[in-house]
Amino acid sequence: MESILKGRQNQVLTKGTDSHELSCDKSSLAGSVSQRACVFCGSRVVLYPIADALHLVHGPIGCAAYTWDIRGALSSGPQIHRLSFSTDIKEQQVVFGGEKTLKNALIELIAAYNPKAAFVYSTCIVDLIGDDVESVCKEVTKITGIDVITVQAPGFAGTKKDGYKVACDSLMKLVGTKGTDETIPNSINIIGDFNLAGELYLLRDYYEKMGVHIVATITGDGRVDAIRQSHKAALNIVQCSGSMSNLAVQMEKKYQIPNMRVSYFGIEDMSDALYGVARFFNNQEMMDKAIDLVRNEVSDLLPKLEFYKKALKGKKAAIYVGGAFKAISLIKALRMVGVKTVVVGSQTGNKEDYLTMKNLSDEGTILVDDTNPLELTQLVKRTNADILIGGVKERPIAYKLGLGFCDHNHERKLALAGYEGMLNFAKEIYATAMSPVFQFTKK
């Protein structure tokens, strides 16, 4: 296609037509206006949901504004994370340095809000002017007695995916700093769920009904002290593998905690996530409870989905999301409601992820890695998709094309995980695909 930029041909593949392997894990092509975000954004979205920590952006006010409340991450207690603090660096700090400004800001904020810990995000301009953020953080730690952790995340140093690793490295500075090393039986950490629209409360309920003890949720509804003790869990459950698998790998290396990759979207993957935990612990009572839970939830859900499946039969969807594992689950979930996936892609997928997507997809489905607005627009038009599933940056594309849009990104306010989330997803797809407004648009 003419819309595919030279140098990106191997990052787009049509199943059944193209023989090449989908290329991924590459830096965005210059001039492509990639949908990826920067390193700073990647670190911020991972750490932001820790609700009793202070989050201070050391940089211009725009960086803090860009990422303020960037996740719809709910807290069952403290709300410090909902506040966006910045040192608001200006010309004076650029010339003379911003270390004094940073130190004063930290001391003032820690005194005012009494957080359990503080994260300081170093941005592009800070790295350019050479502020020693690490030194300031250590000094403030001695003064206040609060752990002040540097998040070295200048935006220009890579992509959002690199920011995920920076965030995981910062979290490892907390892990294992409280409690004994004794492992708690039948216990897990939930890693990579950010409690969007309260989804974590559903997941907690499922696991607790099975008799599973949750040590820490990292980072949705997160607490600093729980993260400090997370090394005591017997198993790490990794939901958003793109953003937080690195933390699980580091914890396995340092504390010998095995990890399991799961998805909580759709009936199949949600059920597998519950059964997988019971199998790991080799606990028959736990497995029996999981089977009963799944049976009850699915028997209640399937009749409700039948209406949406009949109404949506023949509809086609394009998927472009950040995490590849989410895209894989969405293919399955759409199939449950009669919708065919014609385009699927992600910002952070690896070769294994794309192979799974390809095997799940129908002939003619287009797979794409790290797309851009022009390219995605042409792919959607070419396949005559009825629905585009993505995030805030994909929404305008859908609206301009006169398509239904489903927000599956981290700003959303609707719970889409778990069995209840599957029903919400079906309702959302139906409402957007069948909206009467489209009779007035040109597709």
Side-chain angles (χ1 to χ4, degrees):
M1 291 183 293
E2 292 181 2
S3 58
I4 305 299
L5 293 173
K6 186 178 180 180
R8 274 196 45 79
Q9 290 90 340
N10 288 335
Q11 287 177 270
V12 183
L13 178 152
T14 302
K15 182 177 178 178
T17 302
D18 297 324
S19 58
H20 65 269
E21 188 179 69
L22 194 72
S23 181
C24 56
D25 286 330
K26 295 174 65 175
S27 297
S28 298
L29 191 68
S32 69
V33 194
S34 170
Q35 302 290 81
R36 288 173 176 168
C38 68
V39 176
F40 161 68
C41 180
S43 66
R44 182 93 153 104
V45 297
V46 168
L47 297 172
Y48 163 81
I50 303 175
D52 57 354
L54 177 75
H55 301 269
L56 175 62
V57 179
H58 186 35
I61 195 65
C63 294
Y66 167 51
T67 54
W68 174 67
D69 214 13
I70 196 168
R71 287 201 186 276
L74 301 185
S75 169
S76 57
Q79 300 288 334
I80 305 175
H81 70 305
R82 298 294 303 281
L83 305 174
S84 191
F85 299 108
S86 172
T87 51
D88 189 17
I89 282 182
K90 290 184 168 64
E91 290 87 347
Q92 183 177 349
Q93 286 80 21
V94 171
V95 175
F96 298 106
E99 293 177 12
K100 184 178 179 181
T101 301
L102 174 60
K103 177 182 174 181
N104 292 340
L106 279 168
I107 291 173
E108 180 181 339
L109 289 169
I110 290 170
Y113 292 96
N114 193 30
K116 291 289 186 177
F119 293 97
V120 178
Y121 302 82
S122 178
T123 57
C124 291
I125 191 67
V126 169
D127 259 38
L128 288 173
I129 65 177
D131 276 0
D132 189 349
V133 177
E134 184 73 33
S135 176
V136 174
C137 289
K138 288 179 179 178
E139 185 180 356
V140 175
T141 295
K142 290 179 181 177
I143 294 170
T144 63
I146 297 293
D147 279 338
V148 182
I149 298 168
T150 308
V151 185
Q152 198 71 30
F156 57 69
T159 68
K160 187 177 183 180
K161 194 172 183 179
D162 299 297
Y164 295 156
K165 184 181 184 303
V166 171
C168 292
D169 291 343
S170 299
L171 284 167
M172 281 301 294
K173 296 175 183 177
L174 288 176
V175 173
T177 57
K178 186 175 182 179
T180 66
D181 290 339
E182 185 179 354
T183 300
I184 300 171
N186 297 333
S187 65
I188 63 172
N189 294 315
I190 299 178
I191 296 179
D193 185 272
F194 302 107
N195 201 28
L196 309 186
E199 290 173 341
L200 186 60
Y201 306 143
L202 297 172
L203 304 177
R204 274 187 176 277
D205 185 54
Y206 296 154
Y207 283 122
E208 287 172 358
K209 284 180 178 177
M210 291 169 53
V212 177
H213 176 75
I214 299 170
V215 179
T217 55
I218 310 174
T219 57
D221 201 19
R223 301 291 185 273
V224 171
D225 284 346
I227 295 170
R228 292 185 189 280
Q229 300 185 75
S230 59
H231 64 297
K232 300 170 70 173
L235 175 67
N236 281 328
I237 305 295
V238 187
Q239 139 73 2
C240 185
S241 58
S243 65
M244 302 209 68
S245 58
N246 184 270
L247 178 66
V249 169
Q250 290 193 58
M251 290 180 72
E252 183 168 18
K253 184 176 181 179
K254 187 171 183 178
Y255 299 106
Q256 293 75 55
I257 304 173
N259 62 79
M260 180 183 298
R261 189 182 183 193
V262 304
S263 172
Y264 296 126
F265 299 110
I267 294 175
E268 295 176 58
D269 288 343
M270 182 67 249
S271 301
D272 285 344
L274 300 179
Y275 292 146
V277 171
R279 280 194 294 268
F280 173 83
F281 289 119
N282 195 26
N283 187 316
Q284 189 57 49
E285 182 183 0
M286 188 183 291
M287 178 61 80
D288 291 341
K289 289 179 179 178
I291 291 170
D292 288 342
L293 190 157
V294 172
R295 182 190 299 114
N296 293 337
E297 293 287 347
V298 172
S299 61
D300 180 61
L301 177 59
L302 288 180
K304 296 175 182 177
L305 292 180
E306 198 59 35
F307 165 79
Y308 301 104
K309 188 172 183 177
K310 289 179 181 178
L312 292 167
K313 187 176 181 179
K315 294 292 184 183
K316 294 184 285 186
I319 302 167
Y320 186 70
V321 290
F325 220 49
K326 184 194 297 183
I328 292 167
S329 293
L330 285 171
I331 296 172
K332 301 176 187 176
L334 286 167
R335 192 169 286 157
M336 287 291 296
V337 291
V339 178
K340 180 180 178 181
T341 300
V342 291
V343 178
V344 59
S346 77
Q347 296 176 17
T348 59
N350 58 37
K351 289 185 178 181
E352 181 185 344
D353 296 325
Y354 287 120
L355 181 60
T356 302
M357 286 185 214
K358 185 177 179 181
N359 291 336
L360 281 173
S361 300
D362 298 316
E363 294 290 307
T365 300
I366 298 174
L367 285 79
V368 58
D369 173 72
D370 184 30
T371 191
N372 57 75
L374 176 61
E375 187 177 276
L376 183 58
T377 298
Q378 295 304 313
L379 296 177
V380 170
K381 289 169 69 175
R382 178 185 174 185
T383 54
N384 292 315
D386 302 288
I387 308 155
L388 177 59
I389 302 174
V392 66
K393 287 179 280 189
E394 289 73 49
R395 186 191 301 270
I397 296 172
Y399 289 171
K400 288 176 182 178
L401 292 175
L403 299 180
F405 178 76
C406 177
D407 185 356
H408 214 294
N409 209 22
H410 47 66
E411 298 93 349
R412 59 186 165 81
K413 308 302 179 186
L414 182 69
L416 298 177
Y419 302 103
E420 182 179 319
M422 180 63 204
L423 182 59
N424 288 339
F425 178 67
K427 291 178 179 178
E428 182 84 353
I429 292 294
Y430 174 81
T432 191
M434 310 302 287
S435 173
V437 73
F438 294 120
Q439 64 183 302
F440 303 111
T441 64
K442 288 184 179 180
K443 190 172 179 181

